[in-house]
Amino acid sequence: RRNTKRVPSFRKLLRTSQIKLDNKLKNKQYKQKSAAKKYRKEQKKLREAVRDAISRKPFPLEECKKKKGAGKYKEEEEEVALPLDMMDEDDLQLIEDLAQKASFLTRDLSSNEPVHVKKRKHESVIEKYEKVPRRMQTEPEKELIHLLPIKDKSGIIPQAVEKPVLNVAHDEEQDMEEMEEAEDFEEPLPVLTPEEMAAQRRQKLQERKMHIAALASAILSEPDNNIKKLKELRAMLMEQDPNVAVIVRKLVMVSLMEIFKDITPSYKIRPLTEAEKATKVKKETQKLREFEEGLVSQYKFYLENLEQTIKDWKQRKLKKSNVISLKAYKGLAEVAVKCLCELLVALPHFNFHNNIIVLIVPLMNDPSKMISELCFEAVKKLFKQDKLGYASLGVVKVISGLVRGRNYDVRPEVLKVFLHLRIKEVELQKDSEDIAPKKKFMTYKEKRKNLSRMQRKWKKAEEKLERELLEAEASESKEKKLKLHTETLNIVFVTYFRILKKAQKSPLLPAVLEGLAKFAHLINVEFFDDLLIVLHSLIASGGLSYRESLHCILSAFHILSGQGDVLNIDPMKFYTHLYKTLFSLHAGGTNEDMGIVLQCLDVMFAKRRKQVSQQRALAFLKRLSTLALHVLPNSSVGILATNRAFMQTFPKMDLLLDNESQGSGVYLPELDEPEHCNAQNTALWEMHLLQRHYHPTVQKFAAHLIAGAPTEGSGALSLDLSQRSATELFETYCMKGMTFNPPVASVTPRRKDTFSQMDSFVDEELNKQLQQHISETVVHKSLDFAKHLKESSLS
């Protein structure tokens, strides 16, 4: 067929793009390469076929018989073989023709298939092995080492090598000789004295310290470029030298902790997605990604090392290759816990913070006092500095799970940590939200109608500026914060209610009551009735200590002073219980409980002044004045400050300052009912005793109350006393150091230690003897101990 394709003209070539020309050139080159490759393959196959044919050159039958003649079977083969003169000429010609072909020696003559048929389809390995001639065992069979077979065009060729026979005895003798020679030439190790060992240890320790300092300074100077050195420093956590292993590991733990605190960014690093990894970015961005990835991985490995150290110490487990004793593991574990506590407080925003929480919270219940206190302090600091509430929520969840998982068998301090939560507001119920007045938003039409064009423009600019300021501050919305606080407090209350319901005799009950007293104003109104019934039943059971019963009273009045104002509940039984047990306080061990009593009185009277009768207030005023006589000065100051608040809050309290009785009846101080003890018929005679108290502040308060607690005039208190609450005054004048607060001034001036002779009180004869003795001069003789020893030996 004639080729009708024409050569393109010059104008057509000009219209062709450079890309098409490049593609045509590449296609042409590819075709040339493929043709050359195909030609090389054909030449290679041809050469291999020629080489194979040469290696398989057939031999005439006569030569094969001559070569096979040697051996036992030569005579038998000659007898079996037919002579050539006994064969026909046609058969002889056929055999000679077959002998010239290479396939004659390898082909199975019993098969009827043609010679050119492929063997691989019907090749059988078993039949091939069966065709191999057997030989009789005339000589001892040698041991063979079977190797992997080789596969070529002819089939599978098995491979084997004879096992070499070694002269074991000779080799053993030679090894013994070599060992003896080595022992002869081996120099004995030098025996070091304790001083030399200590010096060597100091030198090693100094080298390790310098190495740690160099790595740490390099990482801190350029964290982006030297992030790989973190791995080198972290590898020193596995120091194997037993002389310095413990100290080096402790130093590396603390160094890494400080490094991570310094170089960690103020945001959480998230892993990159596959799409982000595939996209091309700038060199600076790629460098930052590599730094963040390396930092997160090394931080993760570091936390895993700390966790493994603590686990090994808890399980009392030593590794085979370990160089540290069990006693040293405790010190390592303490350092690891310190590092974890520091990271818990310093990096609440960074990765793996929840993992640190899961490690630290169970250690709060550890038998070791040091480790448990470290964890308590760390969690307290975390609660105090957590403004938003993410970290607090995580810790509260883990504590709740721990208490429930251990079946409420944990230390009370684990629950007392809840008292340090920074929760003052929570989300209210939906009903109260619906009742509350909602903020009105102006529609677009109202804005156009009520605002001018310039005002709308300014309004729009203000809204834009507020949004930018919020983004710059990165501050969370108030709604989000309230939501977190509500969720946290719900978990806390669930834990408290479980203990009140299932473990009322648990040692956790005081911590639960103390927590309820603090957060009771935030409890949902639906639980108020049930909770008050439970608290009263606990008090009535008599199984609580005095402090626990005070916490019950405080919790009940916190509930009623907050949202419980709307409830029609009369807590008279709680008033009666406190009035009855006030005299349980004294100057001994219960003096510290006075702080809780002052809080209870503040909630019961100052915040519920409208619900308290005059008889009740008078009864408490009289009993508290009597109590102030037999407690420590700081408690007396707190009680008198509470009495001052009573006299200023309730009218007609000054009738107790008059001797004349009001109404009928006699005051019954032993009666436990404040409403029926006739307190209006007594007087505050205790104030005259307190006015002569040894503590100056108690004297001031007693004189102030005798004058009727005036706010102005000569009987008024100073500002530093009048503006403080009773609880603050109780803590201010505390006497924990067993010293007066304020210190008592000395009445007599200090005198010098001088001896004065008073002749008027001494007898005349005695005075003469004294004068004579003073006037005599004392002669100091030198002591000769050697002479004295000689004299004593002679005698």
Side-chain angles (χ1 to χ4, degrees):
R1 187 179 177 183
R2 188 177 177 184
N3 189 9
T4 58
K5 191 174 181 181
R6 295 180 180 178
V7 179
S9 62
F10 181 70
R11 289 184 179 180
K12 193 173 183 179
L13 286 173
L14 286 177
R15 288 197 300 270
T16 308
S17 64
Q18 185 64 32
I19 299 173
K20 288 184 178 180
L21 292 175
D22 293 341
N23 289 338
K24 285 182 179 181
L25 181 62
K26 287 179 181 177
N27 290 336
K28 189 177 180 181
Q29 292 175 353
Y30 178 72
K31 287 179 181 179
Q32 290 176 357
K33 287 181 180 178
S34 61
K37 190 175 181 182
K38 190 175 181 182
Y39 176 75
R40 287 198 299 272
K41 282 186 177 180
E42 291 176 353
Q43 292 294 323
K44 185 178 180 182
K45 287 182 179 179
L46 184 62
R47 287 196 299 273
E48 287 179 354
V50 172
R51 194 181 302 116
D52 193 25
I54 292 171
S55 63
R56 296 186 178 184
K57 185 176 180 181
F59 297 96
L61 289 174
E62 292 83 358
E63 294 182 5
C64 291
K65 283 183 180 180
K66 289 178 182 178
K67 289 181 180 179
K68 281 186 175 182
K72 292 183 178 182
Y73 303 100
K74 183 177 179 182
E75 297 176 0
E76 295 177 3
E77 288 176 359
E78 286 178 355
E79 291 176 0
V80 174
L82 292 173
L84 295 176
D85 55 356
M86 294 178 66
M87 298 177 66
D88 295 337
E89 292 181 359
D90 296 336
D91 296 337
L92 185 60
Q93 185 65 33
L94 177 63
I95 291 173
E96 287 179 356
D97 293 339
L98 289 172
Q100 301 300 322
K101 296 180 181 180
S103 62
F104 175 73
L105 298 175
T106 58
R107 185 182 173 202
D108 188 5
L109 297 178
S110 63
S111 100
N112 298 324
E113 294 179 354
V115 178
H116 61 271
V117 96
K118 290 187 178 179
K119 293 181 180 180
R120 287 193 181 179
K121 291 183 179 178
H122 304 283
E123 189 176 19
S124 177
V125 179
I126 299 174
E127 292 178 1
K128 193 169 182 180
Y129 276 113
E130 288 295 330
K131 290 174 186 175
V132 176
R134 274 70 169 174
R135 282 187 288 177
M136 294 183 68
Q137 190 172 359
T138 57
E139 58 185 14
E141 187 177 353
K142 297 182 179 179
E143 294 185 17
L144 298 178
I145 300 174
H146 295 280
L147 306 177
L148 291 173
I150 300 173
K151 186 176 182 181
D152 61 356
K153 292 182 178 181
S154 62
I156 298 174
I157 304 171
Q159 298 287 320
V161 177
E162 293 182 4
K163 188 175 182 180
V165 180
L166 301 175
N167 192 355
V168 181
H170 177 70
D171 291 344
E172 289 181 355
E173 290 177 1
Q174 190 173 359
D175 292 342
M176 291 294 291
E177 290 177 0
E178 290 177 357
M179 288 174 65
E180 289 176 359
E181 290 176 1
E183 288 176 359
D184 293 339
F185 287 105
E186 192 177 80
E187 295 181 359
L189 292 173
V191 179
L192 299 177
T193 61
E195 292 80 7
E196 292 174 348
M197 291 174 68
Q200 187 179 9
R201 181 176 178 276
R202 283 195 297 271
Q203 183 181 359
K204 287 182 182 178
L205 195 58
Q206 188 65 24
E207 291 175 0
R208 302 292 196 282
K209 286 181 180 179
M210 294 299 294
H211 189 47
I212 293 170
L215 289 174
S217 60
I219 295 167
L220 291 175
S221 60
E222 293 182 357
D224 300 344
N225 300 328
N226 298 324
I227 193 66
K228 292 184 179 179
K229 292 190 177 180
L230 265 177
K231 184 177 181 181
E232 185 179 351
L233 183 58
R234 189 176 56 80
M236 295 182 72
L237 284 172
M238 307 307 295
E239 176 67 41
Q240 295 299 319
D241 192 346
N243 292 328
V244 295
V246 178
I247 297 178
V248 170
R249 291 187 185 187
K250 289 181 180 179
L251 292 173
V252 174
M253 283 181 189
V254 178
S255 302
L256 282 170
M257 180 261 295
E258 294 294 339
I259 289 170
F260 282 121
K261 283 169 63 176
D262 288 339
I263 69 175
T264 300
S266 59
Y267 54 87
K268 191 173 183 179
I269 300 172
R270 63 172 181 83
L272 299 174
T273 60
E274 295 297 332
E276 289 175 340
K277 291 179 181 178
T279 55
K280 291 184 178 180
V281 293
K282 295 180 181 179
K283 289 184 178 179
E284 292 80 6
T285 308
Q286 185 63 28
K287 188 176 180 181
L288 179 62
R289 284 182 177 180
E290 291 176 357
F291 166 71
E292 290 179 346
E293 187 178 357
L295 178 63
V296 170
S297 63
Q298 294 302 321
Y299 187 58
K300 178 185 175 184
F301 292 141
Y302 172 61
L303 293 179
E304 288 176 352
N305 285 333
L306 296 181
E307 181 184 7
Q308 192 60 43
T309 302
I310 297 171
K311 281 185 178 179
D312 291 345
W313 170 66
K314 296 291 285 182
Q315 297 171 0
R316 304 292 190 270
K317 184 174 68 176
L318 280 178
K319 298 176 183 177
K320 293 181 180 178
S321 61
N322 215 332
V323 294
I324 297 177
S325 62
L326 278 173
K327 292 182 179 179
Y329 250 108
K330 185 179 180 182
L332 277 177
E334 289 175 355
V335 176
V337 171
K338 285 181 183 178
C339 295
L340 285 172
C341 291
E342 288 287 334
L343 295 173
L344 177 75
V345 178
L347 305 177
H349 58 276
F350 197 57
N351 301 50
F352 310 115
H353 190 256
N354 289 333
N355 302 75
I356 300 176
I357 291 173
V358 173
L359 282 175
I360 289 295
V361 168
L363 292 175
M364 294 167 64
N365 197 40
D366 195 81
S368 175
K369 187 177 180 182
M370 180 180 178
I371 289 178
S372 61
E373 287 180 355
L374 281 173
C375 298
F376 288 144
E377 294 300 323
V379 175
K380 287 177 186 177
K381 288 180 184 176
L382 182 66
F383 282 164
K384 288 180 180 178
Q385 74 179 22
D386 185 22
K387 296 180 180 178
L388 187 59
Y390 281 113
S392 300
L393 178 60
V395 174
V396 168
K397 283 182 179 178
V398 179
I399 290 176
S400 178
L402 176 70
V403 173
R404 190 177 181 184
R406 299 274 179 95
N407 198 16
Y408 313 107
D409 186 17
V410 295
R411 288 187 174 187
E413 288 82 1
V414 177
L415 287 183
K416 285 184 179 179
V417 175
F418 288 159
L419 300 175
H420 300 274
L421 286 168
R422 294 181 58 179
I423 299 177
K424 296 181 180 178
E425 294 178 353
V426 293
E427 287 183 347
L428 301 175
Q429 287 185 342
K430 291 184 178 179
D431 298 336
S432 58
E433 287 179 359
D434 295 338
I435 295 169
K438 296 182 180 179
K439 189 178 179 182
K440 293 183 179 180
F441 295 98
M442 296 176 69
T443 61
Y444 178 70
K445 290 183 179 180
E446 290 175 348
K447 284 182 180 179
R448 270 187 82 86
K449 186 177 179 180
N450 298 330
L451 300 176
S452 65
R453 184 178 179 183
M454 185 59 68
Q455 287 175 338
R456 289 198 302 271
K457 192 174 180 181
W458 276 104
K459 193 79 175 174
K460 192 175 181 180
E462 282 181 7
E463 291 174 357
K464 185 179 178 182
L465 182 61
E466 287 178 2
R467 285 196 302 269
E468 290 177 355
L469 286 173
L470 286 174
E471 290 175 0
E473 292 176 0
S475 60
E476 297 288 342
S477 62
K478 188 178 180 182
E479 290 78 10
K480 196 170 186 179
K481 185 177 180 181
L482 284 176
K483 189 175 181 181
L484 285 170
H485 285 183
T486 305
E487 188 178 356
T488 303
L489 204 60
N490 285 341
I491 298 172
V492 172
F493 282 140
V494 165
T495 307
Y496 285 164
F497 294 158
R498 278 179 186 157
I499 295 171
L500 284 175
K501 185 178 180 181
K502 298 181 180 179
Q504 291 188 355
K505 295 183 179 180
S506 170
L508 300 176
L509 191 61
V512 170
L513 296 173
E514 194 172 352
L516 285 174
K518 181 172 183 179
F519 301 115
H521 61 287
L522 302 173
I523 300 176
N524 197 343
V525 183
E526 297 174 357
F527 302 112
F528 280 3
D529 290 336
D530 298 333
L531 194 54
L532 286 173
I533 291 170
V534 171
L535 292 175
H536 182 259
S537 64
L538 286 173
I539 293 174
S541 65
L544 301 180
S545 65
Y546 186 62
R547 182 185 287 264
E548 293 170 5
S549 63
L550 290 177
H551 281 307
C552 283
I553 297 169
L554 188 59
S555 303
F557 281 100
H558 272 305
I559 290 170
L560 296 174
S561 63
Q563 304 174 53
D565 286 338
V566 296
L567 300 176
N568 189 14
I569 298 174
D570 185 18
M572 185 60 197
K573 45 198 171 187
F574 295 105
Y575 280 101
T576 305
H577 181 73
L578 181 63
Y579 182 80
K580 181 171 59 177
T581 58
L582 273 178
F583 285 141
S584 301
L585 297 167
H586 51 77
T590 59
N591 188 71
E592 294 300 321
D593 297 337
M594 182 59 71
I596 307 172
V597 172
L598 296 176
Q599 293 179 28
C600 291
L601 292 170
D602 182 51
V603 179
M604 293 163 71
F605 290 94
K607 295 181 180 179
R608 292 176 58 86
R609 61 175 68 91
K610 294 181 181 179
Q611 289 88 356
V612 178
S613 63
Q614 183 179 349
Q615 292 290 334
R616 197 181 303 173
L618 287 170
F620 271 92
L621 181 62
K622 174 62 178 175
R623 181 155 287 199
L624 287 172
S625 300
T626 308
L627 180 64
L629 293 172
H630 55 274
V631 290
L632 290 181
N634 59 333
S635 299
S636 298
V637 172
I639 289 172
L640 295 177
T642 304
N643 288 350
R644 177 177 177 271
F646 278 7
M647 297 181 73
Q648 291 179 350
T649 303
F650 297 97
K652 299 182 181 180
M653 287 288 107
D654 54 350
L655 60 90
L656 294 182
L657 300 175
D658 193 359
N659 291 331
E660 296 180 0
S661 61
Q662 302 288 330
S664 61
V666 180
Y667 174 60
L668 303 173
E670 70 281 356
L671 193 66
D672 293 335
E673 295 292 335
E675 298 283 352
H676 308 290
C677 65
N678 299 324
Q680 73 276 4
N681 294 324
T682 185
L684 296 179
W685 52 265
E686 295 90 357
M687 295 301 158
H688 293 281
L689 295 176
L690 292 171
Q691 199 174 6
R692 295 193 294 272
H693 199 275
Y694 62 87
H695 200 278
T697 311
V698 176
Q699 296 175 10
K700 292 178 184 177
F701 265 101
H704 173 68
L705 291 177
I706 289 174
T711 55
E712 296 177 352
S714 59
L717 286 174
S718 58
L719 289 176
D720 60 331
L721 295 177
S722 62
Q723 292 182 352
R724 292 184 183 181
S725 65
T727 310
E728 290 179 3
L729 290 169
F730 171 73
E731 294 174 355
T732 303
Y733 293 99
C734 181
M735 300 176 65
K736 287 184 179 179
M738 298 303 293
T739 56
F740 288 109
N741 188 9
V744 180
S746 58
V747 179
T748 55
R750 292 185 66 182
R751 297 179 180 178
K752 295 182 180 179
D753 296 333
T754 56
F755 178 76
S756 59
Q757 293 182 358
M758 300 182 68
D759 297 338
S760 59
F761 295 100
V762 182
D763 190 33
E764 292 182 0
E765 295 182 359
L766 182 60
N767 192 14
K768 288 180 182 179
Q769 292 180 4
L770 287 173
Q771 293 295 335
Q772 185 180 357
H773 183 72
I774 292 169
S775 61
E776 290 179 357
T777 58
V778 180
V779 180
H780 295 284
K781 297 181 180 180
S782 59
L783 299 175
D784 192 355
F785 292 100
K787 183 179 178 182
H788 177 71
L789 288 172
K790 288 179 181 178
E791 291 176 355
S792 60
S793 61
L794 290 172
S795 62

